[in-house]
């Protein structure tokens, strides 16, 4: 097998199709691969719109929230129809490394497995595997661009809750890399909320200054780069909003001051679930399409 | 020798005789010709005379009939009167008889004075017929006119020819029946006015030709014309009266009431004529990129009213003008208006404006001054906003896509959006179900934005205050979207099936100004 040494084949061979279903005229697929960044097998979902048969398409990365796998988004969010309409490939990775046999990884629903928080951990015992930030911003895009009909210059990012936090920090830390960004009920200021404090102290240690690199509100205050246009939807009856886990007001205050364009919509009656996400997915895909297809 | 001499003399005589014979032959020819001409002339003259005497006889017999009928009538009257008198006479006789009897009785009686009763027995009817003098002067004129050159017969006036009229002139043509000798014609004309007395004055032109151009007329007016022919003998009877019409004055396009969009233009104009015209013709030509005008590319004819909605191609420039048309033909073109189909273009309906609003000269900047208006200045029309300090725009009624922008400053509290034409003038924009608007509110802590319809707004926060707002209306999809133009940022979309046509609306809740920018191409992102 001298093919193994060939880098292209190396990557290609590493992809294993787990499932493929025709959906909205295109295909919803799930693949498995060996992640070099996370040092474990990872699954990700990819939706290929009908347009991908004949042309290179832009890619929207979707980052899910706490406890999710790649399945929640593709089965509940209703993203495929609008993605097909606008010719956008959607890639939805898992939310953390899995099966790394780290002590305590499965003990909490808001830390460890299913709660990677899209950071590169610096602390033992997590730092070897929990490098979700590098995974979603570097390894995964490379893999996707090598294996699917994408236009590498046109990518965008979105997510929900912890994934909303992930989407915001990816966009704010990499000016110009993502053409558009949006979020559903994101954790806007993790340094100031219980979820974030727990995760950051676990993954990054007790020095709070290192946390700032992964806090959307802090990053926004220091942002300089191409004009952003951030769309955020938030359910007004979201229990985690009331529990001060999400803190959107802090982000809005900073963005107002820094003149970073945000449209923040407080949707009455909606909670934190995928029912809420499903209701506004169309608006978000359209928001991404505006910049991805410009 | 003698013989020879005699012979030569004979030859001479013979030649002379031959010459004479030839002369006589030619003379006889002339005589024959003259005879023929005379005969022909006599024939013609005879015809004329015969016709004329026939006319005279006809006239006389007509007169005779009339007169006889008159006498018959008179005789009948007289006989009736005599009969009546006879009856009366009979009755008088009876009465006399009675009287005689009475007289005899009286005679027999002692009193002898009663017999002297008078009875009137004279005839009341005159026995003479009253024959008026016959006026035979016209017959005499007819007899006198049996002359060498007859007076011309009545000319025949032609009906109006197409394109023979202008705004102030008419070209009139006529002809004669026969080869009448005519020295000149006289053309009479007068305008046909509604309140014209039957014997109103007319004008006359004397011409030698069988046509004439009458000038200095009123535009879009009907004229009655007739013509007579005159020669040395006399004047012909008048022709039939013909009706001609001058063409109308050109219409005047009402620039400020014209509106357009990428697919169409609505042109409105004033007739330019006091009398109604038959119809209007709208002409359009496309302008080249270098500003040159092509020839007329399209005209819309038989437009009955003073407005016309014209379908156009997107992204072009057109010159549009109007002509008024009546039976006499089309007027000259009105002044042209330039229409660009880059974007949607409209003016504000200033008659809908709240009295506190004033407008820049170009009509696109709206001011809400902070000085209080005296009550007297608060003259409110039926169409005027009375509570909300607002004004409507005159959007073209085309169910397509429209886009315009509004420039504001972030210290102005405004309401901008769309409203049905009949939206309540005494309610606030966005407070009812006939208007949709974006509202900016200044609170002590922040800038608040609402997207109001029927008094309800979603709850949203906008971190960068828009100072140039794009408004995109899509009738087909039933959407009204707002954008921060500087950021190309989508702010909100109303989803609503607009059953009626809407108008842009602009309101202010505190003193300030806003400027409408239109006629601009909708950015691509506005209709994703």
């Amino acid at each position: 097998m001298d093919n193994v040494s060939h880098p292209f084949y190396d990557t290609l061979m590493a992809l294993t199709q787990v499932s493929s279903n025709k959906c909205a005229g295109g295909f919803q697929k799930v693949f498995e691969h060996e992640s070099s960044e996370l040092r474990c097998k990872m699954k990700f979902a990819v939706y290929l719109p009908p347009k991908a048969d004949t042309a290179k398409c832009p890619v929207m990365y979707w980052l899910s929230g706490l406890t999710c796998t790649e399945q929640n988004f593709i089965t509940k969010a209703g993203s495929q129809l609008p993605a097909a309409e606008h010719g956008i490939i959607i890639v939805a990775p898992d939310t953390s490394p899995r099966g790394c046999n780290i002590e305590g990884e499965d003990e909490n629903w808001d830390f460890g497995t299913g709660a990677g928080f899209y950071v590169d951990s610096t602390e033992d015992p997590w730092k070897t595997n929990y490098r979700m930030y590098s995974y979603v911003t570097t390894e995964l895009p490379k893999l996707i661009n090598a294996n699917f009909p994408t236009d590498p210059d046109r990518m965008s990012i979105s997510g929900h809750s912890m994934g909303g936090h992930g989407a915001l920090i990816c966009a704010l830390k990499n000016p110009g890399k993502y053409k558009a960004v949006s979020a559903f009920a994101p954790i806007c200021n993790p340094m100031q909320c219980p979820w974030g404090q727990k995760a950051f102290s676990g993954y990054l240690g007790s020095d709070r200054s290192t946390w700032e690199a992964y806090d959307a509100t802090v990053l926004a205050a220091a942002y300089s780069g191409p004009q952003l246009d951030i769309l955020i939807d938030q359910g007004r009856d979201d229990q985690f909003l009331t529990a001060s886990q999400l803190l959107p007001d802090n982000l809005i205050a900073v963005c107002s001051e820094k003149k970073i364009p945000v449209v923040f919509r407080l949707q009455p009656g909606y909670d934190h679930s995928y029912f809420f996400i499903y209701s506004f997915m169309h608006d978000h895909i359209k928001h991404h399409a505006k910049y991805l297809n410009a | 020798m003698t013989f020879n001499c005699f012979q030569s003399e004979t030859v001479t005589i013979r030649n002379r005789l031959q010459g004479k014979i030839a002369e006589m032959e030619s003379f006889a020819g002339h005589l024959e010709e003259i005879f023929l001409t005379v005969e022909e002339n006599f024939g013609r003259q005879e015809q004329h005379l015969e016709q004329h005497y026939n006319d005279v006889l006809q006239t006389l017999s007509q007169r005779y009939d009339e007169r006889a009928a008159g006498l018959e009538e008179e005789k009948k009257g007289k006989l009736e009167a005599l009969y009546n008198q006879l009856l009366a006479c009979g009755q008088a006789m009876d009465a006399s008889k009675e009287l005689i009897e009475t007289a005899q009785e009286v005679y027999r009686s002692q009193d002898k004075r009663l017999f002297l009763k008078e009875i009137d027995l004279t005839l009341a009817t005159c026995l003479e017929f009253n024959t008026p003098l016959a006026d035979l002067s016209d017959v005499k004129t007819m007899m006198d006119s049996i002359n060498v050159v007859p007076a011309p017969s009545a000319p025949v006036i032609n009906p109006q020819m197409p394109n023979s009229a202008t705004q102030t002139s008419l070209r009139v043509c006529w002809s004669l029946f026969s080869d009448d000798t005519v020295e000149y014609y006289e053309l009479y004309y007068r305008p046909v006015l509604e309140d014209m007395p039957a014997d109103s004055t007319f004008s006359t032109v004397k011409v030698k030709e069988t046509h004439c151009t009458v000038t200095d007329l009123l535009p879009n007016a009907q004229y009655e014309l007739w013509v007579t022919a005159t020669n040395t003998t006399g004047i012909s009877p008048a022709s039939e009266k013909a009706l001609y019409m001058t063409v109308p004055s050109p219409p005047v396009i009402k620039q400020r009431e014209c509106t357009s969009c990428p697919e169409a233009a609505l042109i409105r104009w004033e007739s330019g004529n006091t009398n109604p015209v038959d119809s209007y013709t709208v002409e359009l030509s496309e302008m080249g990129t270098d500003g040159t005008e092509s020839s007329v590319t399209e005209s819309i004819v038989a437009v009955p009213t003073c407005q016309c909605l014209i379908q156009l191609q997107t992204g072009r420039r057109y010159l549009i003008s109007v002509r008024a048309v009546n039976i006499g033909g089309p007027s000259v073109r009105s002044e042209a208006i330039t229409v660009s189909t880059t974007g949607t273009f409209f003016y504000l309906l200033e008659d809908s404006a709240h009295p506190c609003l004033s407008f820049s000269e170009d009509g696109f900047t709206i001011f809400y001054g902070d000085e209080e208006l005296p009550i007297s200045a608060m003259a409110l029309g039926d169409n005027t906003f009375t509570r909300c300090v607002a004004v409507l725009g005159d959007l073209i009624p085309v169910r397509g896509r429209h886009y315009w922008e509004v420039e504001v400053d972030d210290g102005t509290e405004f309401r901008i959006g769309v409203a049905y034409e009949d939206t309540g003038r005494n309610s606030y924009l966005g407070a009812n179900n006939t208007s949709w608007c974006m509202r900016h509110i200044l609170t002590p802590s922040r800038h608040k934005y609402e997207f109001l319809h029927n008094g309800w707004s979603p709850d949203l926060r906008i971190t960068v205050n828009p100072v140039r707002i794009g408004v995109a209306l899509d009738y087909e999809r039933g959407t009204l979207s707002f954008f921060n133009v500087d950021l190309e940022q989508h702010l909100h979309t109303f989803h609503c099936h607009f059953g009626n046509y809407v108008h842009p609306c602009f309101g202010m809740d505190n003193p300030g100004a806003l400027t409408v920018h239109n006629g601009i191409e909708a950015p691509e992102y506005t209709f994703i």
Side-chain angles (χ1 to χ4, degrees):
Chain A
M1 293 284 275
D2 47 7
N3 280 344
V4 174
S5 60
H6 196 287
F8 177 71
Y9 268 97
D10 205 26
T11 334
L12 190 68
M13 294 301 283
L15 275 189
T16 312
Q17 185 169 297
V18 176
S19 68
S20 174
N21 300 86
K22 181 134 190 180
C23 182
F27 283 91
Q28 181 63 64
K29 295 175 183 245
V30 174
F31 290 91
E32 193 172 54
H33 73 116
E34 199 68 50
S35 165
S36 55
E37 200 69 65
L38 308 180
R39 301 184 184 215
C40 67
K41 268 197 161 81
M42 287 295 286
K43 283 184 187 168
F44 66 86
V46 57
Y47 175 71
L48 298 167
K51 195 181 171 190
D53 287 346
T54 54
K56 293 192 167 197
C57 295
V59 185
M60 182 184 104
Y61 289 85
W62 170 266
L63 306 183
S64 296
L66 289 168
T67 74
C68 288
T69 67
E70 82 291 341
Q71 285 295 318
N72 305 66
F73 175 73
I74 64 174
T75 54
K76 292 178 174 177
S79 65
Q80 290 93 344
L81 277 172
E85 184 192 331
H86 295 287
I88 295 173
I89 294 172
I90 302 183
V91 174
D94 202 346
T95 52
S96 75
R98 285 181 198 269
C100 298
N101 295 317
I102 300 170
E103 199 187 337
E105 69 180 353
D106 294 328
E107 276 174 17
N108 296 290
W109 63 272
D110 55 1
F111 187 77
T113 303
F117 261 89
Y118 306 103
V119 299
D120 284 348
S121 172
T122 52
E123 296 298 300
D124 284 325
W126 311 101
K127 67 180 185 189
T128 316
N129 302 95
Y130 279 71
R131 298 179 53 76
M132 283 301 285
Y133 175 73
S134 292
Y135 176 69
V136 299
T137 56
T138 313
E139 184 184 1
L140 189 59
K142 254 188 215 158
L143 187 71
I144 297 296
N145 292 336
N147 288 280
F148 299 97
T150 63
D151 176 350
D153 292 332
R154 291 187 290 154
M155 57 195 277
S156 71
I157 194 156
S158 182
H160 169 228
S161 191
M162 172 185 77
H165 140 78
L168 291 173
I169 62 163
C170 287
L172 291 165
K173 283 165 76 70
N174 299 279
K177 185 181 178 96
Y178 298 97
K179 302 287 174 214
V181 57
S182 75
F184 291 86
I187 301 169
C188 294
N189 194 3
M191 289 176 74
Q192 305 297 334
C193 77
W195 279 342
Q197 286 160 355
K198 179 175 179 181
F200 285 4
S201 49
Y203 295 133
L204 305 172
S206 54
D207 179 3
R208 293 176 75 98
S209 65
T210 61
W211 300 3
E212 291 177 352
Y214 294 106
D215 185 296
T217 300
V218 176
L219 289 168
Y223 181 81
S224 92
Q227 182 90 64
L228 286 169
D229 177 3
I230 305 171
L231 172 63
I232 300 175
D233 271 305
Q234 172 65 58
R236 189 184 277 162
D237 293 1
D238 182 335
Q239 61 184 112
F240 301 113
L241 176 69
T242 327
S244 297
Q245 295 284 25
L246 307 174
L247 305 172
D249 289 342
N250 296 357
L251 178 66
I252 288 162
V254 166
C255 287
S256 298
E257 195 183 317
K258 287 282 294 176
K259 303 241 177 282
I260 296 172
V262 177
V263 170
F264 175 83
R265 312 193 295 188
L266 198 57
Q267 306 285 8
Y270 289 94
D271 59 19
H272 198 69
S273 69
Y274 265 89
F275 294 112
F276 157 63
I277 297 170
Y278 177 91
S279 304
F280 302 102
M281 183 48 73
H282 193 102
D283 289 352
H284 282 247
I285 300 279
K286 209 168 131 177
H287 174 78
H288 286 258
K290 175 176 152 190
Y291 294 100
L292 290 175
N293 292 330
Chain B
M1 178 66 191
T2 319
F3 178 78
N4 272 350
C5 179
F6 183 76
Q7 202 174 22
S8 73
E9 201 175 327
T10 314
V11 170
T12 319
I13 291 167
R14 197 184 64 200
N15 285 347
R16 213 190 301 159
L17 277 174
Q18 270 174 349
K20 286 281 178 203
I21 286 165
E23 266 174 47
M24 281 171 76
E25 270 175 357
S26 123
F27 181 65
H30 277 300
L31 275 181
E32 200 171 6
E33 236 171 77
I34 289 163
F35 172 77
L36 282 176
T37 314
V38 168
E39 193 179 52
E40 200 183 306
N41 280 344
F42 265 91
R44 211 186 286 168
Q45 199 69 5
E46 191 184 322
Q47 255 182 343
H48 275 311
L49 284 174
E50 201 176 295
Q51 201 191 333
H52 230 92
Y53 281 119
N54 282 343
D55 286 353
V56 171
L57 283 177
Q58 209 180 333
T59 313
L60 282 174
S61 93
Q62 212 175 328
R63 280 292 160 84
Y64 167 78
D65 287 347
E66 279 167 20
R67 189 60 56 79
L71 284 173
E72 194 64 34
E73 198 69 13
E74 203 176 345
K75 185 176 123 194
K76 200 176 143 200
K78 287 183 186 227
L79 282 174
E80 265 172 26
L82 282 173
Y83 176 73
N84 286 341
Q85 208 178 5
L86 208 59
L87 277 184
C89 195
Q91 279 163 0
M93 294 268 279
D94 289 346
S96 304
K97 217 186 278 178
E98 268 173 48
L99 193 64
I100 291 166
E101 279 165 18
T102 317
Q104 278 169 347
E105 257 173 60
V106 170
Y107 175 72
R108 270 177 232 122
S109 76
Q110 294 303 306
D111 188 354
K112 302 286 191 281
R113 286 170 292 177
L114 286 173
F115 79 103
L116 292 166
K117 187 147 189 173
E118 275 185 41
I119 296 159
D120 180 15
L121 289 174
T122 53
L123 289 176
T125 306
C126 169
L127 289 176
E128 292 301 314
F129 274 92
N130 176 24
T131 46
L133 279 175
D135 176 14
L136 291 178
S137 60
D138 48 350
V139 178
K140 190 169 179 294
T141 321
M142 286 173 89
M143 293 298 286
D144 291 346
S145 74
I146 299 171
N147 211 327
V148 211
V149 182
S153 47
V156 179
I157 192 159
N158 295 353
Q160 185 168 9
M161 297 285 288
N163 300 320
S164 63
T166 72
Q167 211 172 306
T168 56
S169 75
L170 291 169
R171 185 181 157 86
V172 191
C173 296
W174 58 88
S175 57
L176 277 180
F177 255 135
S178 54
D179 50 355
D180 283 335
T181 314
V182 174
E183 214 163 279
Y184 60 87
Y185 297 96
E186 270 180 301
L187 176 66
Y188 303 82
Y189 61 93
R190 66 174 168 211
V192 181
L193 303 170
E194 222 164 76
D195 51 353
M196 179 186 66
D199 59 343
S200 71
T201 53
F202 48 79
S203 313
T204 323
V205 206
K206 205 188 260 192
V207 287
K208 293 208 180 280
E209 302 81 16
T210 55
H211 57 84
C212 173
T213 301
V214 192
T215 55
D216 293 332
L217 304 178
L218 300 168
N220 193 38
Q222 201 173 41
Y223 281 86
E224 192 174 48
L225 304 106
W226 63 98
V227 63
T228 60
T230 306
N231 62 17
T232 44
T233 311
I235 187 166
S236 76
S239 68
E240 299 271 308
K241 283 177 177 164
L243 288 175
Y244 277 46
M245 190 111 191
T246 51
V247 305
S249 305
V252 181
I253 292 179
K254 295 194 272 191
Q255 185 103 20
R256 284 260 175 142
E257 290 179 34
C258 294
T259 162
S260 63
C261 69
E263 301 156 60
L266 177 64
I267 306 297
R268 295 184 172 114
W269 58 86
E270 265 162 18
S271 165
N273 293 276
T274 43
N275 300 334
V277 299
D278 291 354
S279 68
Y280 299 93
T281 299
V282 180
E283 296 179 348
L284 51 135
S285 60
E286 204 183 312
M287 286 171 81
T289 41
D290 51 354
T292 53
E293 182 191 348
S294 68
S295 56
V296 171
T297 50
E298 200 183 319
S299 27
I300 298 142
V301 299
V303 179
T305 56
C306 284
Q307 64 174 52
C308 182
L309 187 68
I310 312 157
Q311 300 299 315
L312 299 173
Q313 302 284 316
T314 302
R316 314 276 173 90
R317 260 155 70 82
Y318 294 91
L319 271 180
I320 299 178
S321 56
V322 187
R323 294 178 195 264
V325 182
N326 68 15
I327 199 161
S331 72
V332 296
R333 276 188 210 170
S334 69
E335 288 214 5
I337 181 176
T338 310
V339 170
S340 160
T341 52
T342 316
T344 292
F345 182 83
F346 56 84
Y347 283 99
L348 299 176
L349 291 165
E350 290 181 21
D351 68 334
S352 69
H354 187 278
C356 287
L357 292 180
S358 57
F359 300 89
S360 63
E361 202 172 316
D362 67 3
F364 292 116
T365 300
I366 309 166
F367 302 100
Y368 177 9
D370 46 9
E371 65 273 22
E372 288 229 345
L373 280 182
I375 300 289
S376 59
M378 304 282 275
L380 301 172
D382 292 344
N383 199 25
T384 312
F385 281 100
T386 52
R387 279 175 84 182
C388 191
V389 181
V391 62
L392 294 178
D394 183 22
L395 185 63
I396 188 168
V398 170
R399 296 190 74 85
R401 289 171 172 182
H402 303 285
Y403 177 78
W404 60 93
E405 293 177 0
V406 188
E407 201 181 315
V408 293
D409 68 68
D410 60 6
T412 304
E413 293 189 307
F414 57 80
R415 295 169 191 253
I416 58 175
V418 301
Y420 286 140
E421 193 173 9
D422 61 355
T423 193
R425 298 294 194 261
N426 61 352
S427 78
Y428 283 93
L429 292 172
N432 48 39
N433 64 0
T434 52
S435 57
W436 295 255
C437 72
M438 173 180 179
R439 182 184 178 196
H440 174 225
I441 306 157
L442 284 168
T443 71
S445 57
R446 65 184 180 101
H447 295 267
K448 202 175 157 195
Y449 294 92
E450 289 182 343
F451 293 88
L452 274 174
H453 174 57
N454 216 358
W456 187 86
S457 168
D459 187 349
L460 55 76
R461 298 279 294 273
I462 294 169
T463 54
V464 180
N465 303 327
V467 290
R468 191 162 175 131
I469 296 156
V471 184
L473 168 69
D474 188 334
Y475 279 105
E476 295 276 299
R477 289 204 292 194
T479 57
L480 174 70
S481 302
F482 294 84
F483 299 88
N484 180 331
V485 176
D486 297 329
L487 304 176
E488 302 189 1
Q489 182 189 30
H490 172 254
L491 301 175
H492 180 69
T493 296
F494 287 106
H495 292 271
C496 174
H497 171 72
F498 299 104
N500 301 324
Y501 291 116
V502 293
H503 282 315
C505 60
F506 312 90
M508 279 175 270
D509 292 331
N510 68 352
L514 52 85
T515 301
V516 181
H517 297 273
N518 61 25
I520 41 185
E521 193 177 1
E524 232 171 79
Y525 60 80
T526 54
F527 292 110
I528 290 172

